[in-house]
Amino acid sequence: TPHEQILATLFAEILNIPTISIDDNFFELGGHSLLATRLISRTRALLGVRLSIRSMLKSPTVESLARLIQGGEENRSNGLEPVLSLRSNGSRPPLFCIHPGGGMAWCYAGLLRHVPKDHPVYGLQAQGLDGETPLPTDMDEVVEDYVARIRAIQPQGPYHLLGWSFGGKVAYALAARLQQEGEKVAMLTVIDTGFGRSAEADGLRGPRDLLDIAFDGIGAFQDEPGDGPLEMSRIVEILKAGGSALGSLDERTVEMLIHITENNLKIGDMEVPARFDGDVLFFAAEGPDGGPTGLAEVWKPFVSGQVESYDLAFKHSKMMSADALAVMGPVLARSLKERS
């Protein structure tokens, strides 16, 4: 789950080991009271929860500690809810992060390392992850749903919105809609997306390409024999082998993510966007040749303020990697501080 992913990263960081599984024992791997204190401090900073040495001794694994943080087995989130609470505590306005094309907001867990701890952080996830809710048919339907979700948490502005890839298109549309409803949007962050037909959709050649988009550029799908669709069981095996947190999902959910991705690519073929009255913080990935793409330029005619753009030396699929976030994080933190 997203919380297990965060805790596993912290365990590995503090114990100075490359990777860790969710059932590894902190103390059996060399942890001691001083390191446990550091872990408690980092967990409080990232997740906004207070732990104790006693709770660490009682729940020394990633799995058990995540369960403790989330209020016990009966209240434990499966990470598929419409709004993913990455950090619920904080006195300042929340940062709402909109899922990319694959529909999951787990990728934003890495932002907690950089977003000031007095800002709650929520991830908006796609309709249909439960396998029962119908998928939206257009961007207006997505916006109506997500505005309601946001207002249920924060009834009034100022709002802080962020989105990567398809999520950037939705974040922009949300910002324009909230302004039309008389609300203030203090910060809008768009990460490597334009409007109109997406580059991802243009590049689709077959089912393997769709898997690359759905699962954040794992890439290993192209190495499988043949060029046709893969069995769901094999897709899950590849996700697990690639170290993806999504490898913990069952086959039914993985299949839904593929359908959601295909649907979002169609929805993402936006017409001319509505006008946004304000500034946009824009992060651009490098192009296929390693150079700048100029993608931020396409938004300027529709934005009354400045498009503050940063070119990063990372591919689109790696924009939520720890290395890319280390570049974006300080800029994002400064922008939140200035606009809160």
Side-chain angles (χ1 to χ4, degrees):
T1 70
H3 286 94
E4 289 171 345
Q5 185 178 8
I6 295 164
L7 289 171
T9 300
L10 291 180
F11 272 41
E13 172 189 312
I14 289 169
L15 293 169
N16 195 27
I17 57 178
T19 59
I20 193 168
S21 71
I22 63 171
D23 54 3
D24 282 336
N25 187 300
F26 180 81
F27 298 101
E28 291 176 358
L29 291 173
H32 48 71
S33 59
L34 180 59
L35 291 180
T37 301
R38 288 180 56 196
L39 179 65
I40 289 167
S41 176
R42 295 284 288 124
T43 303
R44 181 181 178 184
L46 290 186
L47 296 177
V49 296
R50 294 177 181 270
L51 297 173
S52 65
I53 294 292
R54 181 180 178 184
S55 62
M56 280 292 306
L57 291 169
K58 184 180 179 181
S59 305
T61 69
V62 167
E63 183 178 28
S64 61
L65 199 56
R67 187 164 59 247
L68 177 69
I69 288 172
Q70 294 172 248
E73 190 71 48
E74 66 279 4
N75 295 322
R76 190 179 180 196
S77 160
N78 63 4
L80 301 178
E81 54 270 27
V83 178
L84 183 66
S85 177
L86 293 169
R87 181 199 289 152
S88 58
N89 295 347
S91 58
R92 292 185 179 274
L95 175 64
F96 292 97
C97 304
I98 319 304
H99 63 84
M104 303 283 284
W106 293 20
C107 58
Y108 296 119
L111 282 172
L112 295 182
R113 192 183 188 99
H114 307 284
V115 174
K117 62 183 180 181
D118 48 0
H119 288 275
V121 181
Y122 297 98
L124 272 63
Q125 304 199 116
Q127 298 178 41
L129 287 174
D130 58 5
E132 299 175 0
T133 306
L135 301 185
T137 58
D138 56 34
M139 184 63 75
D140 285 341
E141 190 175 338
V142 173
V143 169
E144 288 288 343
D145 179 27
Y146 292 9
V147 164
R149 295 189 205 178
I150 289 171
R151 284 191 178 278
I153 296 170
Q154 184 188 355
Q156 295 180 316
Y159 291 104
H160 298 80
L161 306 172
L162 176 148
W164 168 42
S165 194
F166 173 76
K169 299 180 181 183
V170 181
Y172 182 94
L174 284 169
R177 175 67 62 85
L178 287 166
Q179 282 190 341
Q180 290 169 8
E181 295 180 359
E183 295 291 350
K184 178 181 179 182
V185 177
M187 189 183 78
L188 171 59
T189 302
V190 176
I191 301 175
D192 203 50
T193 192
F195 60 88
R197 185 164 175 80
S198 65
E200 293 98 327
D202 285 338
L204 282 180
R205 298 182 301 276
R208 306 291 177 86
D209 303 288
L210 185 63
L211 293 178
D212 286 341
I213 297 171
F215 303 112
D216 299 338
I218 290 290
F221 304 109
Q222 303 290 352
D223 298 332
E224 293 293 292
D227 57 5
L230 299 177
E231 295 289 335
M232 289 301 140
S233 59
R234 181 55 186 153
I235 294 172
V236 173
E237 288 177 358
I238 292 173
L239 291 173
K240 289 179 178 177
S244 172
L246 301 182
S248 65
L249 300 174
D250 58 35
E251 292 181 19
R252 178 172 176 268
T253 304
V254 168
E255 186 173 15
M256 280 308 307
L257 285 175
I258 296 169
H259 292 319
I260 287 169
T261 301
E262 190 169 26
N263 190 61
N264 284 340
L265 287 174
K266 295 175 183 176
I267 290 175
D269 295 346
M270 292 172 58
E271 299 177 1
V272 175
R275 186 167 181 79
F276 175 68
D277 185 17
D279 300 329
V280 173
L281 179 61
F282 194 95
F283 295 101
E286 66 183 16
D289 61 354
T293 62
L295 194 56
E297 297 296 319
V298 304
W299 294 100
K300 289 185 177 180
F302 309 99
V303 175
S304 69
Q306 294 185 336
V307 178
E308 182 183 349
S309 180
Y310 296 84
D311 292 320
L312 275 65
F314 298 92
K315 298 298 183 185
H316 176 83
S317 63
K318 301 299 181 184
M319 291 295 275
M320 285 298 117
S321 67
D323 290 340
L325 290 175
V327 178
M328 288 189 281
V331 179
L332 182 64
R334 183 177 69 247
S335 183
L336 279 168
K337 184 177 181 180
E338 292 173 350
R339 291 168 168 80
S340 297

